[in-house]
Amino acid sequence: MTPYAWSCLACEATNAASAARCGRCGWPARATRLQIEATRAAYRQRAGLPLVVAPDTTALARQVPWLPIAAVVLLLPGWLLLAVGTGGSAIAFGGLLVALAALCVSSYRAPPR
Ligand SMILES: [Zn+2]
């Protein structure tokens, strides 16, 4: 039971605060994400509604061009250290960052379309 009127996450019906289950579909007032997704998909399929597919964050993360991004992130401080660095260790570290940036660029393969 919730202290407020609640919307069913499976069928979106509004239910009284005292209701422990949805009056339309019987779904409990409290559920895990996986229970909600499974019940919502089953309800929408029975009702003939199009399925709502949650975005696949893993697939989205795979589409991000991480190596070019890393190259820029490494190149900027590396170039700065090479340009204005005083002392051998600063210049050496700048050179290392630029070399890592070059490695990122050379390792990057554009995903197939
Ligand atoms: Zn419901």
Side-chain angles (χ1 to χ4, degrees):
M1 187 168 26
T2 62
Y4 48 83
W6 54 279
S7 292
C8 175
L9 294 174
C11 74
E12 300 173 356
T14 302
N15 294 281
S18 60
R21 292 188 164 271
C22 176
R24 182 191 290 169
C25 72
W27 190 247
R30 294 178 188 266
T32 66
R33 179 183 61 82
L34 293 177
Q35 289 172 320
I36 293 167
E37 288 176 0
T39 302
R40 179 183 292 154
Y43 175 81
R44 294 186 71 87
Q45 190 174 21
R46 281 195 310 272
L49 299 170
L51 293 179
V52 177
V53 179
D56 183 358
T57 53
T58 305
L60 290 175
R62 276 193 218 110
Q63 294 176 356
V64 174
W66 293 112
L67 284 174
I69 291 171
V72 171
V73 169
L74 292 168
L75 186 62
L76 292 176
W79 175 84
L80 194 64
L81 281 172
L82 284 178
V84 297
T86 57
S89 59
I91 291 172
F93 189 62
L96 175 66
L97 292 178
V98 170
L100 286 173
L103 181 64
C104 288
V105 169
S106 67
S107 300
Y108 177 69
R109 301 287 176 269
R113 297 276 167 188

